[in-house]
Amino acid sequence: MNVLLCVACGRRVTEPVRLLPEVPERPGYDGTPGDDGRRHAPATLPRGTYAVDPEPSGAPFVPREDQDEDTYEGAYPGGPWMSEGSALLVAAGPRNTYVLHPDDVVGLAPHPDSDRLGGCCGPTGHNGVNRVCGCGAEVATDFGDCYGPYEIHFDPGAVRPGAAV
């Protein structure tokens, strides 16, 4: 078991978690409230696990090279369609992020820039890193709105795995 630690201050920012070999397929979502009454998709990862996502995660979003709508699956895996003018957009944020169930996160606060916290039922993650460590370091992007995946991505440059004690 591991925990993720803030690179800036060394604080633990997750519960103990076990590494999975890959990010599981993101579950579908029908828009109905979950058992907790909140409107978000089922979590991508089970509690107590994490995975490394090789795909780009979150902001910035850039025009997709192939603008064919028939092959476009969204701005990021499990995410919505995004466009700017007539250009379809895709995530160009960090690769190899650590993906976790949002309930496995500890000691994080919302980003002080309220523009990064937008969403109707939870944070979208579309405006960049939206969670900070207690020391103020930007460490994670929470995707928890009603029309995308339910997961949190830690920037691999902001955290490091450490042994759970």
Side-chain angles (χ1 to χ4, degrees):
M1 298 288 276
N2 290 325
V3 293
L4 295 182
L5 305 168
C6 175
V7 169
C9 71
R11 283 186 189 158
R12 180 173 64 92
V13 293
T14 69
E15 297 289 349
V17 288
R18 174 180 51 84
L19 180 63
L20 298 177
E22 61 185 18
V23 177
E25 184 174 333
R26 285 162 174 92
Y29 177 54
D30 64 5
T32 58
D35 293 340
D36 60 3
R38 296 171 43 197
R39 291 186 183 274
H40 55 67
T44 302
L45 281 93
R47 294 275 325 259
T49 65
Y50 75 110
V52 177
D53 189 351
E55 297 297 320
S57 174
F61 292 89
V62 298
R64 182 176 187 237
E65 287 183 25
D66 172 7
Q67 289 291 310
D68 181 3
E69 289 186 9
D70 291 335
T71 61
Y72 183 65
E73 295 181 0
Y76 47 88
W81 279 39
M82 293 175 68
S83 63
E84 187 173 280
S86 63
L88 297 171
L89 301 178
V90 293
R95 290 180 179 270
N96 300 314
T97 56
Y98 299 106
V99 185
L100 286 88
H101 188 293
D103 291 342
D104 282 330
V105 173
V106 297
L108 297 188
H111 198 285
D113 179 355
S114 62
D115 288 343
R116 297 198 189 183
L117 305 175
C120 66
C121 299
T124 64
H126 295 172
N127 296 321
V129 173
N130 57 19
R131 296 292 180 258
V132 296
C133 176
C135 72
E138 296 181 346
V139 294
T141 304
D142 188 354
F143 294 91
D145 205 4
C146 54
Y147 59 84
Y150 184 53
E151 58 197 32
I152 192 161
H153 288 246
F154 282 89
D155 186 312
V159 297
R160 65 176 175 79
V165 180

